[in-house]
Amino acid sequence: MGVTVAVLAVTNLANNRWWPSFGMLTAVVVSAVLLGVLFLAGGTWADAGLAPATLGRGARWAVLLVALVGVVYAGAALLPATRGSFADERYGALTGGQVALRVLATVPLGTVLLEEVAFRGVLYGLVRRARGAVWATTVSSVLFGLWHVLPSLHLASVKPVLTSVLGSSTYGATVAVVGAVLFTGAAGVLFCELRRRSGSLLAPMGLHWAVNAFGYLVGFLLR
């Protein structure tokens, strides 16, 4: 597990500090490397949540979850009380083509593939083999939350709904980061449970993609 954590630490710095423009390529390469680490440790496709026998069930879970997120987001976008939560200054300069690129390529390859293979596939599989599902969920989710520290550093300044509450001070930025870590850690627990119940990595992949991709789409349409 130590090798996996070390690879992820370097990847996090690469994606957020060193070479962010190569995020999709980095995600594909690192996902392959992490799967190699799992197999070298004696793991299997089932440990990664990618056993052929469970892919059909995982795909059905994924379709249902994508549809559910779509309905929730559509309702939130239509209600004045929740519409403002989609506002994000990062969408201001995006074109329709750029949003499509994020929805169809950047999110599924640069975000979902890497994070699900890493946290709900390799890390979860390695820890579950050694300590069981509860420990696997705990370790995976805590590290998933910490994974979002660097991406959240400017969250309070780009989300108007957060800026209005937290301001643009260092304190506000810190609260936003802590909130993001806690929220994504909790989301990690849900993703792990989906992975456990479905037996497949496709279930959390579907939910993860829908939450991120529909967030881009709705935010762009409401800007």
mmCIF file with all atom_site columns, all heavy atoms in Angstrom, residues 43-69:
data_model
loop_
_atom_site.group_PDB
_atom_site.id
_atom_site.type_symbol
_atom_site.label_atom_id
_atom_site.label_alt_id
_atom_site.label_comp_id
_atom_site.label_asym_id
_atom_site.label_entity_id
_atom_site.label_seq_id
_atom_site.pdbx_PDB_ins_code
_atom_site.Cartn_x
_atom_site.Cartn_y
_atom_site.Cartn_z
_atom_site.occupancy
_atom_site.B_iso_or_equiv
_atom_site.pdbx_formal_charge
_atom_site.auth_seq_id
_atom_site.auth_comp_id
_atom_site.auth_asym_id
_atom_site.auth_atom_id
_atom_site.pdbx_PDB_model_num
ATOM 1   N N   . GLY A 1 43 ? -2.835  -9.265  -6.181  1.00 0.00 ? 43 GLY A N   1
ATOM 2   C CA  . GLY A 1 43 ? -4.236  -8.927  -6.397  1.00 0.00 ? 43 GLY A CA  1
ATOM 3   C C   . GLY A 1 43 ? -4.761  -9.431  -7.725  1.00 0.00 ? 43 GLY A C   1
ATOM 4   O O   . GLY A 1 43 ? -3.999  -9.874  -8.591  1.00 0.00 ? 43 GLY A O   1
ATOM 5   N N   . THR A 1 44 ? -6.069  -9.349  -7.879  1.00 0.00 ? 44 THR A N   1
ATOM 6   C CA  . THR A 1 44 ? -6.734  -9.831  -9.089  1.00 0.00 ? 44 THR A CA  1
ATOM 7   C C   . THR A 1 44 ? -7.649  -8.736  -9.645  1.00 0.00 ? 44 THR A C   1
ATOM 8   O O   . THR A 1 44 ? -7.825  -7.682  -9.039  1.00 0.00 ? 44 THR A O   1
ATOM 9   C CB  . THR A 1 44 ? -7.586  -11.067 -8.772  1.00 0.00 ? 44 THR A CB  1
ATOM 10  O OG1 . THR A 1 44 ? -8.653  -10.668 -7.874  1.00 0.00 ? 44 THR A OG1 1
ATOM 11  C CG2 . THR A 1 44 ? -6.753  -12.153 -8.101  1.00 0.00 ? 44 THR A CG2 1
ATOM 12  N N   . TRP A 1 45 ? -8.234  -9.026  -10.815 1.00 0.00 ? 45 TRP A N   1
ATOM 13  C CA  . TRP A 1 45 ? -9.208  -8.087  -11.380 1.00 0.00 ? 45 TRP A CA  1
ATOM 14  C C   . TRP A 1 45 ? -10.393 -7.904  -10.434 1.00 0.00 ? 45 TRP A C   1
ATOM 15  O O   . TRP A 1 45 ? -10.973 -6.823  -10.346 1.00 0.00 ? 45 TRP A O   1
ATOM 16  C CB  . TRP A 1 45 ? -9.700  -8.589  -12.739 1.00 0.00 ? 45 TRP A CB  1
ATOM 17  C CG  . TRP A 1 45 ? -8.705  -8.448  -13.840 1.00 0.00 ? 45 TRP A CG  1
ATOM 18  C CD1 . TRP A 1 45 ? -8.058  -9.448  -14.496 1.00 0.00 ? 45 TRP A CD1 1
ATOM 19  C CD2 . TRP A 1 45 ? -8.234  -7.218  -14.416 1.00 0.00 ? 45 TRP A CD2 1
ATOM 20  N NE1 . TRP A 1 45 ? -7.208  -8.924  -15.437 1.00 0.00 ? 45 TRP A NE1 1
ATOM 21  C CE2 . TRP A 1 45 ? -7.295  -7.567  -15.423 1.00 0.00 ? 45 TRP A CE2 1
ATOM 22  C CE3 . TRP A 1 45 ? -8.499  -5.871  -14.186 1.00 0.00 ? 45 TRP A CE3 1
ATOM 23  C CZ2 . TRP A 1 45 ? -6.634  -6.609  -16.177 1.00 0.00 ? 45 TRP A CZ2 1
ATOM 24  C CZ3 . TRP A 1 45 ? -7.846  -4.912  -14.942 1.00 0.00 ? 45 TRP A CZ3 1
ATOM 25  C CH2 . TRP A 1 45 ? -6.929  -5.276  -15.925 1.00 0.00 ? 45 TRP A CH2 1
ATOM 26  N N   . ALA A 1 46 ? -10.756 -8.956  -9.710  1.00 0.00 ? 46 ALA A N   1
ATOM 27  C CA  . ALA A 1 46 ? -11.856 -8.844  -8.745  1.00 0.00 ? 46 ALA A CA  1
ATOM 28  C C   . ALA A 1 46 ? -11.485 -7.889  -7.614  1.00 0.00 ? 46 ALA A C   1
ATOM 29  O O   . ALA A 1 46 ? -12.325 -7.111  -7.144  1.00 0.00 ? 46 ALA A O   1
ATOM 30  C CB  . ALA A 1 46 ? -12.199 -10.221 -8.178  1.00 0.00 ? 46 ALA A CB  1
ATOM 31  N N   . ASP A 1 47 ? -10.227 -7.917  -7.168  1.00 0.00 ? 47 ASP A N   1
ATOM 32  C CA  . ASP A 1 47 ? -9.784  -6.993  -6.126  1.00 0.00 ? 47 ASP A CA  1
ATOM 33  C C   . ASP A 1 47 ? -9.861  -5.550  -6.603  1.00 0.00 ? 47 ASP A C   1
ATOM 34  O O   . ASP A 1 47 ? -10.088 -4.627  -5.812  1.00 0.00 ? 47 ASP A O   1
ATOM 35  C CB  . ASP A 1 47 ? -8.343  -7.316  -5.704  1.00 0.00 ? 47 ASP A CB  1
ATOM 36  C CG  . ASP A 1 47 ? -8.233  -8.619  -4.941  1.00 0.00 ? 47 ASP A CG  1
ATOM 37  O OD1 . ASP A 1 47 ? -9.081  -8.858  -4.067  1.00 0.00 ? 47 ASP A OD1 1
ATOM 38  O OD2 . ASP A 1 47 ? -7.305  -9.398  -5.227  1.00 0.00 ? 47 ASP A OD2 1
ATOM 39  N N   . ALA A 1 48 ? -9.673  -5.345  -7.894  1.00 0.00 ? 48 ALA A N   1
ATOM 40  C CA  . ALA A 1 48 ? -9.752  -4.004  -8.469  1.00 0.00 ? 48 ALA A CA  1
ATOM 41  C C   . ALA A 1 48 ? -11.181 -3.587  -8.784  1.00 0.00 ? 48 ALA A C   1
ATOM 42  O O   . ALA A 1 48 ? -11.430 -2.444  -9.192  1.00 0.00 ? 48 ALA A O   1
ATOM 43  C CB  . ALA A 1 48 ? -8.915  -3.931  -9.746  1.00 0.00 ? 48 ALA A CB  1
ATOM 44  N N   . GLY A 1 49 ? -12.132 -4.513  -8.604  1.00 0.00 ? 49 GLY A N   1
ATOM 45  C CA  . GLY A 1 49 ? -13.518 -4.207  -8.946  1.00 0.00 ? 49 GLY A CA  1
ATOM 46  C C   . GLY A 1 49 ? -13.788 -4.291  -10.434 1.00 0.00 ? 49 GLY A C   1
ATOM 47  O O   . GLY A 1 49 ? -14.767 -3.721  -10.918 1.00 0.00 ? 49 GLY A O   1
ATOM 48  N N   . LEU A 1 50 ? -12.932 -5.011  -11.150 1.00 0.00 ? 50 LEU A N   1
ATOM 49  C CA  . LEU A 1 50 ? -13.053 -5.072  -12.606 1.00 0.00 ? 50 LEU A CA  1
ATOM 50  C C   . LEU A 1 50 ? -13.166 -6.506  -13.118 1.00 0.00 ? 50 LEU A C   1
ATOM 51  O O   . LEU A 1 50 ? -12.834 -6.788  -14.272 1.00 0.00 ? 50 LEU A O   1
ATOM 52  C CB  . LEU A 1 50 ? -11.839 -4.385  -13.253 1.00 0.00 ? 50 LEU A CB  1
ATOM 53  C CG  . LEU A 1 50 ? -11.728 -2.886  -12.995 1.00 0.00 ? 50 LEU A CG  1
ATOM 54  C CD1 . LEU A 1 50 ? -10.380 -2.358  -13.485 1.00 0.00 ? 50 LEU A CD1 1
ATOM 55  C CD2 . LEU A 1 50 ? -12.866 -2.130  -13.688 1.00 0.00 ? 50 LEU A CD2 1
ATOM 56  N N   . ALA A 1 51 ? -13.647 -7.402  -12.283 1.00 0.00 ? 51 ALA A N   1
ATOM 57  C CA  . ALA A 1 51 ? -13.845 -8.784  -12.716 1.00 0.00 ? 51 ALA A CA  1
ATOM 58  C C   . ALA A 1 51 ? -14.918 -8.829  -13.803 1.00 0.00 ? 51 ALA A C   1
ATOM 59  O O   . ALA A 1 51 ? -15.980 -8.202  -13.657 1.00 0.00 ? 51 ALA A O   1
ATOM 60  C CB  . ALA A 1 51 ? -14.262 -9.656  -11.536 1.00 0.00 ? 51 ALA A CB  1
ATOM 61  N N   . PRO A 1 52 ? -14.685 -9.540  -14.908 1.00 0.00 ? 52 PRO A N   1
ATOM 62  C CA  . PRO A 1 52 ? -15.674 -9.592  -15.997 1.00 0.00 ? 52 PRO A CA  1
ATOM 63  C C   . PRO A 1 52 ? -17.070 -10.016 -15.535 1.00 0.00 ? 52 PRO A C   1
ATOM 64  O O   . PRO A 1 52 ? -18.077 -9.517  -16.049 1.00 0.00 ? 52 PRO A O   1
ATOM 65  C CB  . PRO A 1 52 ? -15.066 -10.628 -16.954 1.00 0.00 ? 52 PRO A CB  1
ATOM 66  C CG  . PRO A 1 52 ? -13.591 -10.530 -16.715 1.00 0.00 ? 52 PRO A CG  1
ATOM 67  C CD  . PRO A 1 52 ? -13.450 -10.277 -15.237 1.00 0.00 ? 52 PRO A CD  1
ATOM 68  N N   . ALA A 1 53 ? -17.135 -10.894 -14.548 1.00 0.00 ? 53 ALA A N   1
ATOM 69  C CA  . ALA A 1 53 ? -18.434 -11.409 -14.104 1.00 0.00 ? 53 ALA A CA  1
ATOM 70  C C   . ALA A 1 53 ? -19.304 -10.349 -13.449 1.00 0.00 ? 53 ALA A C   1
ATOM 71  O O   . ALA A 1 53 ? -20.532 -10.504 -13.386 1.00 0.00 ? 53 ALA A O   1
ATOM 72  C CB  . ALA A 1 53 ? -18.222 -12.569 -13.131 1.00 0.00 ? 53 ALA A CB  1
ATOM 73  N N   . THR A 1 54 ? -18.709 -9.287  -12.954 1.00 0.00 ? 54 THR A N   1
ATOM 74  C CA  . THR A 1 54 ? -19.485 -8.256  -12.248 1.00 0.00 ? 54 THR A CA  1
ATOM 75  C C   . THR A 1 54 ? -19.695 -6.981  -13.072 1.00 0.00 ? 54 THR A C   1
ATOM 76  O O   . THR A 1 54 ? -20.369 -6.065  -12.613 1.00 0.00 ? 54 THR A O   1
ATOM 77  C CB  . THR A 1 54 ? -18.791 -7.861  -10.938 1.00 0.00 ? 54 THR A CB  1
ATOM 78  O OG1 . THR A 1 54 ? -17.518 -7.257  -11.231 1.00 0.00 ? 54 THR A OG1 1
ATOM 79  C CG2 . THR A 1 54 ? -18.576 -9.081  -10.041 1.00 0.00 ? 54 THR A CG2 1
ATOM 80  N N   . LEU A 1 55 ? -19.123 -6.929  -14.274 1.00 0.00 ? 55 LEU A N   1
ATOM 81  C CA  . LEU A 1 55 ? -19.206 -5.700  -15.058 1.00 0.00 ? 55 LEU A CA  1
ATOM 82  C C   . LEU A 1 55 ? -20.641 -5.374  -15.490 1.00 0.00 ? 55 LEU A C   1
ATOM 83  O O   . LEU A 1 55 ? -21.037 -4.208  -15.518 1.00 0.00 ? 55 LEU A O   1
ATOM 84  C CB  . LEU A 1 55 ? -18.303 -5.794  -16.290 1.00 0.00 ? 55 LEU A CB  1
ATOM 85  C CG  . LEU A 1 55 ? -16.795 -5.842  -16.008 1.00 0.00 ? 55 LEU A CG  1
ATOM 86  C CD1 . LEU A 1 55 ? -16.009 -5.908  -17.320 1.00 0.00 ? 55 LEU A CD1 1
ATOM 87  C CD2 . LEU A 1 55 ? -16.360 -4.635  -15.183 1.00 0.00 ? 55 LEU A CD2 1
ATOM 88  N N   . GLY A 1 56 ? -21.413 -6.400  -15.817 1.00 0.00 ? 56 GLY A N   1
ATOM 89  C CA  . GLY A 1 56 ? -22.799 -6.162  -16.224 1.00 0.00 ? 56 GLY A CA  1
ATOM 90  C C   . GLY A 1 56 ? -23.614 -5.545  -15.106 1.00 0.00 ? 56 GLY A C   1
ATOM 91  O O   . GLY A 1 56 ? -24.342 -4.566  -15.310 1.00 0.00 ? 56 GLY A O   1
ATOM 92  N N   . ARG A 1 57 ? -23.496 -6.107  -13.918 1.00 0.00 ? 57 ARG A N   1
ATOM 93  C CA  . ARG A 1 57 ? -24.223 -5.559  -12.767 1.00 0.00 ? 57 ARG A CA  1
ATOM 94  C C   . ARG A 1 57 ? -23.733 -4.145  -12.448 1.00 0.00 ? 57 ARG A C   1
ATOM 95  O O   . ARG A 1 57 ? -24.524 -3.247  -12.163 1.00 0.00 ? 57 ARG A O   1
ATOM 96  C CB  . ARG A 1 57 ? -24.029 -6.456  -11.548 1.00 0.00 ? 57 ARG A CB  1
ATOM 97  C CG  . ARG A 1 57 ? -24.758 -5.972  -10.302 1.00 0.00 ? 57 ARG A CG  1
ATOM 98  C CD  . ARG A 1 57 ? -24.762 -7.019  -9.215  1.00 0.00 ? 57 ARG A CD  1
ATOM 99  N NE  . ARG A 1 57 ? -23.419 -7.440  -8.860  1.00 0.00 ? 57 ARG A NE  1
ATOM 100 C CZ  . ARG A 1 57 ? -23.156 -8.438  -8.015  1.00 0.00 ? 57 ARG A CZ  1
ATOM 101 N NH1 . ARG A 1 57 ? -24.145 -9.118  -7.476  1.00 0.00 ? 57 ARG A NH1 1
ATOM 102 N NH2 . ARG A 1 57 ? -21.903 -8.750  -7.725  1.00 0.00 ? 57 ARG A NH2 1
ATOM 103 N N   . GLY A 1 58 ? -22.427 -3.935  -12.516 1.00 0.00 ? 58 GLY A N   1
ATOM 104 C CA  . GLY A 1 58 ? -21.883 -2.606  -12.271 1.00 0.00 ? 58 GLY A CA  1
ATOM 105 C C   . GLY A 1 58 ? -22.384 -1.588  -13.273 1.00 0.00 ? 58 GLY A C   1
ATOM 106 O O   . GLY A 1 58 ? -22.673 -0.442  -12.909 1.00 0.00 ? 58 GLY A O   1
ATOM 107 N N   . ALA A 1 59 ? -22.510 -1.998  -14.520 1.00 0.00 ? 59 ALA A N   1
ATOM 108 C CA  . ALA A 1 59 ? -23.001 -1.092  -15.558 1.00 0.00 ? 59 ALA A CA  1
ATOM 109 C C   . ALA A 1 59 ? -24.451 -0.708  -15.310 1.00 0.00 ? 59 ALA A C   1
ATOM 110 O O   . ALA A 1 59 ? -24.849 0.446   -15.520 1.00 0.00 ? 59 ALA A O   1
ATOM 111 C CB  . ALA A 1 59 ? -22.850 -1.742  -16.933 1.00 0.00 ? 59 ALA A CB  1
ATOM 112 N N   . ARG A 1 60 ? -25.252 -1.656  -14.853 1.00 0.00 ? 60 ARG A N   1
ATOM 113 C CA  . ARG A 1 60 ? -26.656 -1.353  -14.544 1.00 0.00 ? 60 ARG A CA  1
ATOM 114 C C   . ARG A 1 60 ? -26.750 -0.366  -13.383 1.00 0.00 ? 60 ARG A C   1
ATOM 115 O O   . ARG A 1 60 ? -27.568 0.563   -13.409 1.00 0.00 ? 60 ARG A O   1
ATOM 116 C CB  . ARG A 1 60 ? -27.420 -2.647  -14.234 1.00 0.00 ? 60 ARG A CB  1
ATOM 117 C CG  . ARG A 1 60 ? -27.613 -3.542  -15.448 1.00 0.00 ? 60 ARG A CG  1
ATOM 118 C CD  . ARG A 1 60 ? -28.591 -4.673  -15.155 1.00 0.00 ? 60 ARG A CD  1
ATOM 119 N NE  . ARG A 1 60 ? -28.041 -5.640  -14.199 1.00 0.00 ? 60 ARG A NE  1
ATOM 120 C CZ  . ARG A 1 60 ? -27.288 -6.679  -14.536 1.00 0.00 ? 60 ARG A CZ  1
ATOM 121 N NH1 . ARG A 1 60 ? -26.971 -6.887  -15.803 1.00 0.00 ? 60 ARG A NH1 1
ATOM 122 N NH2 . ARG A 1 60 ? -26.862 -7.528  -13.615 1.00 0.00 ? 60 ARG A NH2 1
ATOM 123 N N   . TRP A 1 61 ? -25.943 -0.574  -12.365 1.00 0.00 ? 61 TRP A N   1
ATOM 124 C CA  . TRP A 1 61 ? -25.894 0.385   -11.258 1.00 0.00 ? 61 TRP A CA  1
ATOM 125 C C   . TRP A 1 61 ? -25.498 1.765   -11.773 1.00 0.00 ? 61 TRP A C   1
ATOM 126 O O   . TRP A 1 61 ? -26.078 2.780   -11.389 1.00 0.00 ? 61 TRP A O   1
ATOM 127 C CB  . TRP A 1 61 ? -24.859 -0.076  -10.228 1.00 0.00 ? 61 TRP A CB  1
ATOM 128 C CG  . TRP A 1 61 ? -25.349 -1.061  -9.214  1.00 0.00 ? 61 TRP A CG  1
ATOM 129 C CD1 . TRP A 1 61 ? -25.588 -2.392  -9.405  1.00 0.00 ? 61 TRP A CD1 1
ATOM 130 C CD2 . TRP A 1 61 ? -25.656 -0.804  -7.838  1.00 0.00 ? 61 TRP A CD2 1
ATOM 131 N NE1 . TRP A 1 61 ? -26.002 -2.981  -8.240  1.00 0.00 ? 61 TRP A NE1 1
ATOM 132 C CE2 . TRP A 1 61 ? -26.055 -2.041  -7.262  1.00 0.00 ? 61 TRP A CE2 1
ATOM 133 C CE3 . TRP A 1 61 ? -25.604 0.327   -7.031  1.00 0.00 ? 61 TRP A CE3 1
ATOM 134 C CZ2 . TRP A 1 61 ? -26.417 -2.152  -5.927  1.00 0.00 ? 61 TRP A CZ2 1
ATOM 135 C CZ3 . TRP A 1 61 ? -25.964 0.217   -5.697  1.00 0.00 ? 61 TRP A CZ3 1
ATOM 136 C CH2 . TRP A 1 61 ? -26.368 -1.000  -5.162  1.00 0.00 ? 61 TRP A CH2 1
ATOM 137 N N   . ALA A 1 62 ? -24.504 1.803   -12.651 1.00 0.00 ? 62 ALA A N   1
ATOM 138 C CA  . ALA A 1 62 ? -23.996 3.077   -13.164 1.00 0.00 ? 62 ALA A CA  1
ATOM 139 C C   . ALA A 1 62 ? -25.074 3.832   -13.925 1.00 0.00 ? 62 ALA A C   1
ATOM 140 O O   . ALA A 1 62 ? -25.252 5.046   -13.740 1.00 0.00 ? 62 ALA A O   1
ATOM 141 C CB  . ALA A 1 62 ? -22.781 2.839   -14.051 1.00 0.00 ? 62 ALA A CB  1
ATOM 142 N N   . VAL A 1 63 ? -25.805 3.151   -14.791 1.00 0.00 ? 63 VAL A N   1
ATOM 143 C CA  . VAL A 1 63 ? -26.867 3.800   -15.575 1.00 0.00 ? 63 VAL A CA  1
ATOM 144 C C   . VAL A 1 63 ? -27.934 4.383   -14.647 1.00 0.00 ? 63 VAL A C   1
ATOM 145 O O   . VAL A 1 63 ? -28.396 5.518   -14.830 1.00 0.00 ? 63 VAL A O   1
ATOM 146 C CB  . VAL A 1 63 ? -27.492 2.791   -16.559 1.00 0.00 ? 63 VAL A CB  1
ATOM 147 C CG1 . VAL A 1 63 ? -28.753 3.377   -17.190 1.00 0.00 ? 63 VAL A CG1 1
ATOM 148 C CG2 . VAL A 1 63 ? -26.486 2.421   -17.640 1.00 0.00 ? 63 VAL A CG2 1
ATOM 149 N N   . LEU A 1 64 ? -28.329 3.616   -13.647 1.00 0.00 ? 64 LEU A N   1
ATOM 150 C CA  . LEU A 1 64 ? -29.346 4.083   -12.700 1.00 0.00 ? 64 LEU A CA  1
ATOM 151 C C   . LEU A 1 64 ? -28.858 5.312   -11.943 1.00 0.00 ? 64 LEU A C   1
ATOM 152 O O   . LEU A 1 64 ? -29.596 6.295   -11.767 1.00 0.00 ? 64 LEU A O   1
ATOM 153 C CB  . LEU A 1 64 ? -29.689 2.961   -11.725 1.00 0.00 ? 64 LEU A CB  1
ATOM 154 C CG  . LEU A 1 64 ? -30.710 3.301   -10.626 1.00 0.00 ? 64 LEU A CG  1
ATOM 155 C CD1 . LEU A 1 64 ? -32.049 3.667   -11.242 1.00 0.00 ? 64 LEU A CD1 1
ATOM 156 C CD2 . LEU A 1 64 ? -30.868 2.125   -9.665  1.00 0.00 ? 64 LEU A CD2 1
ATOM 157 N N   . LEU A 1 65 ? -27.606 5.292   -11.505 1.00 0.00 ? 65 LEU A N   1
ATOM 158 C CA  . LEU A 1 65 ? -27.056 6.404   -10.736 1.00 0.00 ? 65 LEU A CA  1
ATOM 159 C C   . LEU A 1 65 ? -26.897 7.657   -11.589 1.00 0.00 ? 65 LEU A C   1
ATOM 160 O O   . LEU A 1 65 ? -27.157 8.770   -11.123 1.00 0.00 ? 65 LEU A O   1
ATOM 161 C CB  . LEU A 1 65 ? -25.708 6.000   -10.137 1.00 0.00 ? 65 LEU A CB  1
ATOM 162 C CG  . LEU A 1 65 ? -25.793 4.949   -9.016  1.00 0.00 ? 65 LEU A CG  1
ATOM 163 C CD1 . LEU A 1 65 ? -24.420 4.337   -8.751  1.00 0.00 ? 65 LEU A CD1 1
ATOM 164 C CD2 . LEU A 1 65 ? -26.358 5.570   -7.747  1.00 0.00 ? 65 LEU A CD2 1
ATOM 165 N N   . VAL A 1 66 ? -26.480 7.497   -12.827 1.00 0.00 ? 66 VAL A N   1
ATOM 166 C CA  . VAL A 1 66 ? -26.369 8.643   -13.737 1.00 0.00 ? 66 VAL A CA  1
ATOM 167 C C   . VAL A 1 66 ? -27.735 9.296   -13.946 1.00 0.00 ? 66 VAL A C   1
ATOM 168 O O   . VAL A 1 66 ? -27.866 10.526  -13.902 1.00 0.00 ? 66 VAL A O   1
ATOM 169 C CB  . VAL A 1 66 ? -25.769 8.204   -15.089 1.00 0.00 ? 66 VAL A CB  1
ATOM 170 C CG1 . VAL A 1 66 ? -25.904 9.323   -16.128 1.00 0.00 ? 66 VAL A CG1 1
ATOM 171 C CG2 . VAL A 1 66 ? -24.296 7.835   -14.932 1.00 0.00 ? 66 VAL A CG2 1
ATOM 172 N N   . ALA A 1 67 ? -28.754 8.474   -14.150 1.00 0.00 ? 67 ALA A N   1
ATOM 173 C CA  . ALA A 1 67 ? -30.106 9.004   -14.330 1.00 0.00 ? 67 ALA A CA  1
ATOM 174 C C   . ALA A 1 67 ? -30.586 9.733   -13.076 1.00 0.00 ? 67 ALA A C   1
ATOM 175 O O   . ALA A 1 67 ? -31.193 10.818  -13.165 1.00 0.00 ? 67 ALA A O   1
ATOM 176 C CB  . ALA A 1 67 ? -31.061 7.862   -14.677 1.00 0.00 ? 67 ALA A CB  1
ATOM 177 N N   . LEU A 1 68 ? -30.291 9.168   -11.908 1.00 0.00 ? 68 LEU A N   1
ATOM 178 C CA  . LEU A 1 68 ? -30.710 9.789   -10.649 1.00 0.00 ? 68 LEU A CA  1
ATOM 179 C C   . LEU A 1 68 ? -30.037 11.143  -10.458 1.00 0.00 ? 68 LEU A C   1
ATOM 180 O O   . LEU A 1 68 ? -30.696 12.128  -10.091 1.00 0.00 ? 68 LEU A O   1
ATOM 181 C CB  . LEU A 1 68 ? -30.359 8.866   -9.481  1.00 0.00 ? 68 LEU A CB  1
ATOM 182 C CG  . LEU A 1 68 ? -30.700 9.379   -8.083  1.00 0.00 ? 68 LEU A CG  1
ATOM 183 C CD1 . LEU A 1 68 ? -32.201 9.597   -7.946  1.00 0.00 ? 68 LEU A CD1 1
ATOM 184 C CD2 . LEU A 1 68 ? -30.208 8.397   -7.015  1.00 0.00 ? 68 LEU A CD2 1
ATOM 185 N N   . VAL A 1 69 ? -28.736 11.229  -10.723 1.00 0.00 ? 69 VAL A N   1
ATOM 186 C CA  . VAL A 1 69 ? -28.028 12.499  -10.593 1.00 0.00 ? 69 VAL A CA  1
ATOM 187 C C   . VAL A 1 69 ? -28.582 13.516  -11.581 1.00 0.00 ? 69 VAL A C   1
ATOM 188 O O   . VAL A 1 69 ? -28.745 14.693  -11.250 1.00 0.00 ? 69 VAL A O   1
ATOM 189 C CB  . VAL A 1 69 ? -26.509 12.310  -10.820 1.00 0.00 ? 69 VAL A CB  1
ATOM 190 C CG1 . VAL A 1 69 ? -25.798 13.662  -10.866 1.00 0.00 ? 69 VAL A CG1 1
ATOM 191 C CG2 . VAL A 1 69 ? -25.920 11.461  -9.710  1.00 0.00 ? 69 VAL A CG2 1
#
